[in-house]
Amino acid sequence: MPSKKNEFKHVDYNWDDAVADKLTPIESLVYRSNILGADQRITNTGGGNTSAKLTEIDPLTGEEVVVLWVKGSGGDLRTAKVENFSSLYQGKLNALDATYQARDDKGYKQAGEDAMIGMYKHCNFCLNPRASSIDTPLHSMIADKHVDHLHPNAVIAIASCKDQEALTEKVWDGKMAYVPWMRPGWEAAKVCEDAYAAKPDSIGILLGQHGHTNWESESKSCYETSLWVIETAARYIEEHDKGDKTFGGAKVESLSEEDRTALLAKFLPVARGILSNKVKFIGTVQSDETALRFVNSVDAPRLAKLGTSCPDHFLRTKIQPLYIDFNPKADSFETLVEKLNAGIEQYRVEYKAYYDACKRDDSPAMRDPSPTVILIPGVGIIGWGKNKSESRVTTEFYNCAIEVMRGAEAISEYTALPQQEAFDIEYWALEEAKLQRMPKEAPLARDVVVVIGAGDGIGKETAFRVAREGAHVVCADLRFEAAQKTADELAAIYGQGIGVAGTGISGCGPAIAQAVNITDRESVQKMFEQVTLAYGGIDKVIVTAGVFLAPGQAGMSDDQQFDVSFAVNVKGGYIVGTEANKIWTAQGLKGAMVLTTSVNAAVAKKGSLAYDTSKAAANHLVRELAVELSPLVNVNGLAPATVVKGSTMFPRDRVIASLTKYNVEFGKDDSDDELRDKLAMFYAQRTLTKSPITPADQAEAAYLMVSGQLSKTTGQIISVDGGLHEAFLR
């Protein structure tokens, strides 16, 4: 079998002896797992398990014991670390079979089989808290030291053929054993153990509809065997590839990228609104060549209706996707929406029928019957999930399903899992328990929050504040570099999530950066178009961008100062609000908007005529937009005062001018921060609370207004000024 890098064409050979030879045995297992998981053709996100039976020192007896290290429940091979592996005494695991066989309720899909999951923790080595995978007995019952259980597309393609057993013998030249589909668990592991014993010269087992398991005595050779199994399957498929006739050939032509982008920008909010009849969803678009080849094909309707095969896939993609019979060259946008509405309605009816036909006495209640994958000819695939990470995984898994179907149809005929088997995975008590153990969703976990002015000051603090509540944050600013810095900082804290799907900006994580000039409607439209392609829509918009121009500043005339001040502080909010409302209206989902005004709007004073009057107009804009956008959207205003720290409105020269004006002592060598602190403390003494006002104070109020806690408040201005009695509303 191939053992050199250049001998593999369909997988990446990434083993490096220079790295591996320096690792401890458990580190070597993690290394093998990571390089397997790094190649999408080897296994999907979160799928598969690797293990090693290693000699450890028992902390109680000081004696050597064999410990099974296996990737734990919920882990991901690509990103796994040592702490993502469970560790169990192999001897105790072996002894568990006697416990299982003595049960009266043992048997495939019986209560006794599921109850064995709870017994694994009694075998934990060194009190390892990592929950064990459902595949733990599979790894335990294979006697070899190193075991890989993977979900490669090429292998699942063969495992999904109608003649999968015969193909197993043919493709791998008798080196692989075969086990028909069984739900993972103790009984499936016992069948694999028997197959292992019955074919002692085999190097692995094909698991019908599922994937494969292989083994070796050394970690490197186990890695190479895994690659050989996949490479062999992929080569066989490619030898039979149908080229232009794949999936029966093309039925429709794809839209141009420009037309597709325009259609998706209109369609995604509509689809999101219709799907989100119970809870909101975040979308991911896949419109690359592979996705389009499938959705455009003659066979796409037939194959889509069959559903996916691998249980890892349909746990995210559901039993089947929603295929919309759309002709991009002939059908209008209105026709597409009509077909979407009819399709979702029918999907929900059919899903309930599937649930009713397959449910058991102890089945969990039916979950949301809406589709999580939508296929549109000429446009692509749209996957949906509770957050961006999940929607990327959902889309990734359907990408995998497409490759599985392509391979199966190339060499034979694709077959999906029977509906009852699919149901028994989807509504398995163990899966339901896993869902119930998941932490409560953060308040904004399903929301897309656009923060305009996120490059610094109040906007940056607001971006961080809503991110702490789980929001998907669009960091928008006139200065793209500043917006990108904020988005990068958020990504460093919260990560990009898992899943590797998404075309263009739709492959993003929970924070993105956008450049926008709010005085230019076309710029605002472009920003919202990108946000929609990234996430599927919007929920909250917070505008903190503003400009303060004092007389004589920047060489502007008084007239120019008025023009710029009103363009940014008033018209900008109007443009953003009216453009955002197009998306809110298309979604039909509740939204919230916050405009940042100022307490200066209520206090007449010398030296800031253009600023103060523009902010007074902004206050009334809040009220006008609250009326215009009701009842779907709440619009409120945030009125800060004297926020010196981190504000671009307080450059060094303005701070020095103010300190001089108020006779506050300062040194010429004082840093910018020291100067700002002195001015902030001076301003604080004019307030009732005697405390400096910070960007974080403003961000807290902005979050409050979009959190839903003030859902019955609209058209109001909330001042965060420390208590300036001059600004009390009259």
Side-chain angles (χ1 to χ4, degrees):
M1 63 181 65
S3 60
K4 296 180 181 178
K5 188 171 185 176
N6 60 4
E7 294 178 347
F8 293 96
K9 298 179 180 179
H10 301 284
V11 289
D12 295 331
Y13 184 97
N14 288 321
W15 189 278
D16 186 343
D17 286 331
V19 174
D21 290 349
K22 298 175 183 177
L23 303 176
T24 64
I26 182 59
E27 290 172 341
S28 179
L29 172 60
V30 174
Y31 174 68
R32 183 173 98 231
S33 305
N34 293 162
I35 60 177
L36 285 169
D39 188 343
Q40 288 177 252
R41 297 164 296 182
I42 291 176
T43 201
N44 50 265
T45 296
N49 314 91
T50 51
S51 69
K53 300 175 183 71
L54 305 177
T55 301
E56 307 281 1
I57 300 299
D58 191 317
L60 295 178
T61 66
E63 298 176 350
E64 290 187 345
V65 291
V66 177
V67 173
L68 174 71
W69 288 87
V70 59
K71 191 204 78 172
S73 178
D76 175 56
L77 290 178
R78 177 170 53 90
T79 58
K81 299 178 175 59
V82 172
E83 57 265 29
N84 298 115
F85 285 77
S86 56
S87 53
L88 307 98
Y89 288 93
Q90 178 64 28
K92 291 185 177 182
L93 282 172
N94 291 341
L96 277 184
D97 191 49
T99 302
Y100 175 69
Q101 299 302 336
R103 298 184 68 106
D104 293 332
D105 56 356
K106 67 177 181 292
Y108 184 51
K109 296 185 182 180
Q110 298 302 307
E113 184 182 31
D114 287 355
M116 294 305 292
I117 297 291
M119 300 298 293
Y120 300 159
K121 57 188 175 185
H122 296 291
C123 305
N124 285 356
F125 173 74
C126 280
L127 305 178
N128 187 343
R130 173 59 58 183
S132 297
S133 164
I134 188 67
D135 288 314
T136 296
L138 171 65
H139 290 265
S140 172
M141 292 181 195
I142 300 298
D144 281 69
K145 184 175 181 178
H146 295 275
V147 179
D148 290 340
H149 166 59
L150 304 169
H151 302 149
N153 294 335
V155 174
I156 301 174
I158 294 170
S160 300
C161 289
K162 66 176 182 179
D163 48 350
Q164 55 193 249
E165 184 172 6
L167 282 168
T168 302
E169 185 72 16
K170 181 178 181 180
V171 172
W172 290 285
D173 196 23
K175 294 183 175 65
M176 293 276 284
Y178 169 80
V179 169
W181 160 258
M182 289 184 70
R183 192 173 74 178
W186 201 272
E187 291 288 340
K190 291 294 290 182
V191 172
C192 288
E193 182 183 38
D194 293 343
Y196 172 83
K199 197 175 176 70
D201 58 341
S202 61
I203 52 87
I205 301 172
L206 182 80
L207 307 170
Q209 313 293 143
H210 189 163
H212 80 278
T213 301
N214 57 265
W215 49 80
E216 289 288 350
S217 59
E218 299 294 332
S219 189
K220 179 181 179 180
S221 58
C222 190
Y223 172 76
E224 291 177 344
T225 297
S226 294
L227 265 57
W228 177 81
V229 171
I230 302 164
E231 178 75 15
T232 302
R235 288 187 181 188
Y236 186 84
I237 289 169
E238 294 311 311
E239 288 170 3
H240 296 80
D241 183 66
K242 295 181 179 179
D244 292 342
K245 298 300 182 182
T246 296
F247 302 128
K251 179 183 178 182
V252 301
E253 293 182 20
S254 296
L255 290 170
S256 68
E257 183 175 354
E258 182 180 357
D259 289 344
R260 184 168 63 244
T261 296
L263 185 143
L264 282 167
K266 289 177 62 179
F267 177 77
L268 285 166
V270 175
R272 184 177 187 234
I274 296 170
L275 285 169
S276 302
N277 64 326
K278 294 182 180 295
V279 291
K280 283 185 286 192
F281 290 97
I282 302 296
T284 293
V285 176
Q286 191 77 32
S287 55
D288 59 359
E289 184 179 342
T290 301
L292 289 169
R293 178 180 62 179
F294 178 71
V295 298
N296 294 351
S297 72
V298 171
D299 290 342
R302 171 179 65 85
L303 293 170
K305 196 69 177 176
L306 289 175
T308 53
S309 172
C310 179
D312 267 36
H313 295 173
F314 66 72
L315 281 172
R316 303 281 186 147
T317 64
K318 290 200 169 174
I319 185 68
Q320 64 187 44
L322 169 62
Y323 173 88
I324 300 177
D325 185 15
F326 174 66
N327 184 339
K329 299 296 184 181
D331 292 342
S332 66
F333 177 77
E334 291 72 23
T335 299
L336 174 60
V337 173
E338 289 173 5
K339 290 185 175 182
L340 171 71
N341 271 301
I344 290 179
E345 183 178 350
Q346 182 62 26
Y347 188 99
R348 288 168 175 162
V349 169
E350 291 179 2
Y351 187 89
K352 185 178 185 303
Y354 151 74
Y355 177 86
D356 290 341
C358 298
K359 68 179 179 181
R360 301 179 186 277
D361 292 341
D362 58 350
S363 292
M366 187 179 77
R367 304 188 189 110
D368 190 340
S370 301
T372 58
V373 177
I374 298 176
L375 310 179
I376 309 176
V379 179
I381 302 168
I382 308 170
W384 302 91
K386 65 182 180 181
N387 53 42
K388 185 60 183 179
S389 183
E390 184 173 279
S391 75
R392 284 212 318 264
V393 173
T394 298
T395 311
E396 173 195 338
F397 282 11
Y398 204 76
N399 291 340
C400 292
I402 289 173
E403 280 301 287
V404 167
M405 291 185 282
R406 180 186 73 86
E409 290 284 300
I411 60 178
S412 178
E413 182 182 327
Y414 172 74
T415 59
L417 272 179
Q419 282 202 348
Q420 187 65 58
E421 292 297 323
F423 180 90
D424 289 343
I425 286 284
E426 185 178 358
Y427 284 90
W428 194 358
L430 296 180
E431 290 293 342
E432 179 68 14
K434 188 185 295 185
L435 291 174
Q436 295 302 322
R437 288 196 303 269
M438 294 182 70
K440 183 180 178 181
E441 289 185 28
L444 300 183
R446 294 174 181 262
D447 284 342
V448 178
V449 181
V450 181
V451 182
I452 299 176
D456 53 30
I458 296 172
K460 185 168 186 172
E461 285 287 348
T462 300
F464 274 76
R465 182 66 186 89
V466 296
R468 287 205 302 274
E469 304 300 332
H472 301 80
V473 187
V474 179
C475 305
D477 202 283
L478 182 63
R479 302 151 302 144
F480 177 74
E481 295 78 8
Q484 188 64 63
K485 186 173 185 294
T486 301
D488 289 344
E489 290 174 6
L490 290 175
I493 296 171
Y494 301 103
Q496 288 295 99
I498 59 174
V500 290
T503 300
I505 196 171
S506 202
C508 67
I512 60 172
Q514 287 290 297
V516 66
N517 177 359
I518 62 173
T519 68
D520 181 349
R521 187 172 290 276
E522 187 176 338
S523 174
V524 174
Q525 288 172 343
K526 183 177 179 181
M527 177 201 68
F528 279 128
E529 178 182 271
Q530 290 299 300
V531 174
T532 300
L533 293 173
Y535 299 115
I538 62 171
D539 297 287
K540 330 286 187 186
V541 176
I542 302 172
V543 181
T544 67
V547 63
F548 175 91
L549 299 173
Q553 182 176 335
M556 286 185 177
S557 68
D558 290 345
D559 288 352
Q560 289 172 323
Q561 287 181 18
F562 258 81
D563 290 342
V564 173
S565 295
F566 273 78
V568 176
N569 298 339
V570 187
K571 186 179 180 181
Y574 162 73
I575 290 175
V576 170
T578 51
E579 286 301 319
N581 193 45
K582 295 175 183 177
I583 300 175
W584 279 317
T585 301
Q587 290 178 154
L589 302 174
K590 286 286 187 180
M593 183 175 187
V594 176
L595 295 179
T596 304
T597 67
S598 171
V599 296
N600 283 27
V603 180
K605 62 185 181 63
K606 189 176 181 64
S608 53
L609 185 59
Y611 179 77
D612 293 357
T613 53
S614 68
K615 288 298 185 178
N619 270 4
H620 199 62
L621 176 64
V622 167
R623 295 184 277 268
E624 294 286 353
L625 286 177
V627 173
E628 291 289 332
L629 275 55
S630 66
L632 204 57
V633 182
N634 287 26
V635 184
N636 290 291
L638 169 65
T642 58
V643 181
V644 180
K645 181 180 178 181
S647 173
T648 56
M649 292 186 183
F650 283 89
R652 185 181 179 92
D653 57 348
R654 183 187 173 194
V655 175
I656 290 175
S658 297
L659 291 171
T660 302
K661 174 182 176 181
Y662 298 124
N663 297 317
V664 177
E665 292 186 3
F666 66 92
K668 292 183 178 179
D669 296 330
D670 286 350
S671 68
D672 290 353
D673 286 341
E674 288 172 331
L675 292 172
R676 290 192 179 102
D677 286 345
K678 290 178 180 179
L679 183 59
M681 285 304 301
F682 170 78
Y683 284 143
Q685 299 314 305
R686 303 190 304 183
T687 70
L688 299 177
T689 60
K690 308 300 182 187
S691 299
I693 311 302
T694 68
D697 297 324
Q698 309 299 331
E700 195 64 39
Y703 164 65
L704 176 64
M705 285 187 275
V706 300
S707 67
Q709 299 176 77
L710 299 181
S711 63
K712 304 299 172 61
T713 300
T714 189
Q716 301 301 308
I717 311 297
I718 295 181
S719 297
V720 183
D721 57 9
L724 286 170
H725 65 84
E726 301 95 330
F728 287 173
L729 294 181
R730 296 167 174 81

